Amino acid sequence: MSLPSIPSSHRTADVRRSPRRTWWRTVVGAAAAVFLAVSGTTLAGGPANATAPADAAAVHADAVHADATSAQCLTVKVQSSFWQDGPDSGGVFRDIAITNSCTTAVTGWKLVFVLPPGQTFQQGWNATWTVDGKILTATPAAWNGTIASGQSIEIGYIGTWAGNRQEPDCTINGQACDGTDPGPDPGPTPGPTPGPVPTVAMTSPIDGSNLVSVCAIRLTADASTPVGTIDRVEFHLNNQLVGSDTSAPYGIDVPPDHPALRGSARHGVFARVVTVSPAATADSAPVGFMLVAPPPALMVIACPSSVQVPAGGSATMEFTLRACGATPGLNLTVTGDAGIRVTPLVLPPGSREHRIIITADPGTAGAVARITANPDSGHCMPASAQITVVPPG
């Protein structure tokens, strides 16, 4: 597999580097591109729980307590390299040099970025990194809390972007990163009174569920807006945009070999609703699931094995024959509470994937049924899925 190219970059300022530093940045940049664009994985916990290098735990006690005079000694140069892995999304690598321009050493520094909309932090190095909302903060590691006169230290991080490629605002020890005085803090600026906002909620998969790794993963969500029009609902798997739907019911299928699923058995997904007139976005609460290996026996597999259907609505699922040695036809039976219907009930032979539609009558919230798929020939064992009817909306 070839390394992904970085099609464009944005340089905010020139940073003078030795050949050794340039070699180091090239290697780390290539590794960062592979990390985000190929593996599709992120650190455990995602961008809301940023991590630091393992050897950065022992930070100097005075590392973040610098006076106003020392703050004016430090300037920051940021070089950002972007690459694209979707129509309007991708990764970003930021190489950051902090320079002491004064005649004495400076002990203690604190770098703060305000991340632009659509950007996230994934992993950093040579600093202790923390994230609070859109505020990304770097403080010294155990070895770089003091910057000698005329010297620089280099830190950096990789992240993701969606929408427009923008540079973050930043301060170093309370001063603007270019060394200018930002002036007195004017205090919070009154904003417009919040108006009605759109809402979105994941409906599949169920939080905490186990999904068989040979199944396509069905991602679905309910979305609504009191004003404007829903343009699309996006689905973000392990903080990677994997697809969107423009009409209700909102849902996509993610193949089991998708790059976003590589590297871990545990996964997280959330939905984002995007509206126009007015433009707004909202994210759902995340849900987690685990991929498990298929059983060793020859059997039909239900994808997924547990389905929630809104009363008065419908949902889809699949029965797959990927673990069977043949492709027999399937006969479906429904047992349990009334008001739950399945179509079709007879699935012809010759295919390894069979999608069905499950419909729940109005007023059946709380009903539970089980669908069983019985092969019409061969030695493949049957499979079943539990259907639960939930309140609409």
Side-chain angles (χ1 to χ4, degrees):
M1 178 180 295
S2 61
L3 292 177
S5 62
I6 299 178
S8 64
S9 65
H10 175 73
R11 180 172 297 218
T12 59
D14 291 328
V15 182
R16 184 174 299 172
R17 295 180 175 81
S18 67
R20 181 179 179 182
R21 285 184 176 176
T22 302
W23 171 87
W24 174 88
R25 184 185 182 281
T26 301
V27 173
V28 175
V34 173
F35 180 83
L36 285 178
V38 176
S39 71
T41 61
T42 61
L43 297 180
N49 298 293
T51 62
D55 51 0
V59 182
H60 293 303
D62 59 351
V64 296
H65 301 291
D67 58 32
T69 302
S70 66
Q72 297 172 359
C73 295
L74 302 180
T75 57
V76 178
K77 306 295 183 184
V78 181
Q79 180 173 312
S80 298
S81 297
F82 295 85
W83 65 92
Q84 191 163 333
D85 57 19
D88 57 355
S89 63
V92 58
F93 173 97
R94 286 200 166 98
D95 187 22
I96 303 158
I98 304 175
T99 302
N100 176 12
S101 60
C102 290
T103 58
T104 58
V106 171
T107 298
W109 52 268
K110 180 179 180 181
L111 177 65
V112 178
F113 285 112
V114 180
L115 296 179
Q119 292 195 18
T120 67
F121 170 89
Q122 296 292 319
Q123 184 177 6
W125 51 89
N126 289 351
T128 300
W129 296 89
T130 58
V131 175
D132 183 5
K134 288 296 183 181
I135 305 301
L136 173 62
T137 302
T139 52
W143 61 88
N144 59 5
T146 298
I147 306 176
S149 172
Q151 298 300 306
S152 299
I153 63 170
E154 289 201 20
I155 64 175
Y157 75 90
I158 53 177
T160 64
W161 63 272
N164 296 322
R165 305 180 184 186
Q166 303 178 50
E167 292 300 323
D169 295 330
C170 75
T171 60
I172 180 74
N173 289 351
Q175 297 289 115
C177 285
D178 60 3
T180 61
D181 186 351
D185 184 0
T189 301
T193 301
V197 295
T199 59
V200 60
M202 290 291 302
T203 54
S204 178
I206 299 172
D207 191 31
S209 59
N210 291 334
L211 307 179
V212 181
S213 58
V214 298
C215 296
I217 300 171
R218 182 67 177 167
L219 306 180
T220 62
D222 288 335
S224 63
T225 181
V227 294
T229 303
I230 293 178
D231 179 69
R232 65 188 183 277
V233 171
E234 301 175 347
F235 294 91
H236 296 254
L237 178 58
N238 295 329
N239 297 304
Q240 184 176 139
L241 177 63
V242 292
S244 62
D245 197 355
T246 58
S247 59
Y250 302 101
I252 63 169
D253 290 311
V254 180
D257 59 350
H258 192 283
L261 294 168
R262 297 174 186 169
S264 175
R266 296 182 181 274
H267 306 280
V269 61
F270 70 91
R272 172 173 295 159
V273 59
V274 180
T275 66
V276 294
S277 301
T281 62
D283 292 351
S284 72
V287 300
F289 63 91
M290 176 178 286
L291 291 182
V292 297
L298 296 177
M299 65 182 303
V300 181
I301 297 175
C303 298
S305 60
S306 180
V307 181
Q308 291 183 338
V309 184
S314 63
T316 62
M317 65 164 293
E318 289 186 351
F319 287 103
T320 178
L321 301 175
R322 290 182 180 273
C324 291
T327 56
L330 299 178
N331 297 312
L332 306 186
T333 58
V334 182
T335 58
D337 297 333
I340 299 174
R341 292 171 284 110
V342 174
T343 55
L345 288 172
V346 178
L347 304 171
S351 175
R352 293 198 177 274
E353 311 290 342
H354 295 281
R355 173 165 293 190
I356 63 172
I357 300 174
I358 308 162
T359 304
D361 292 342
T364 57
V368 177
R370 181 165 292 276
I371 303 172
T372 302
N374 295 284
D376 61 8
S377 63
H379 302 287
C380 205
M381 293 186 295
S384 64
Q386 178 172 300
I387 310 302
T388 303
V389 182
V390 297

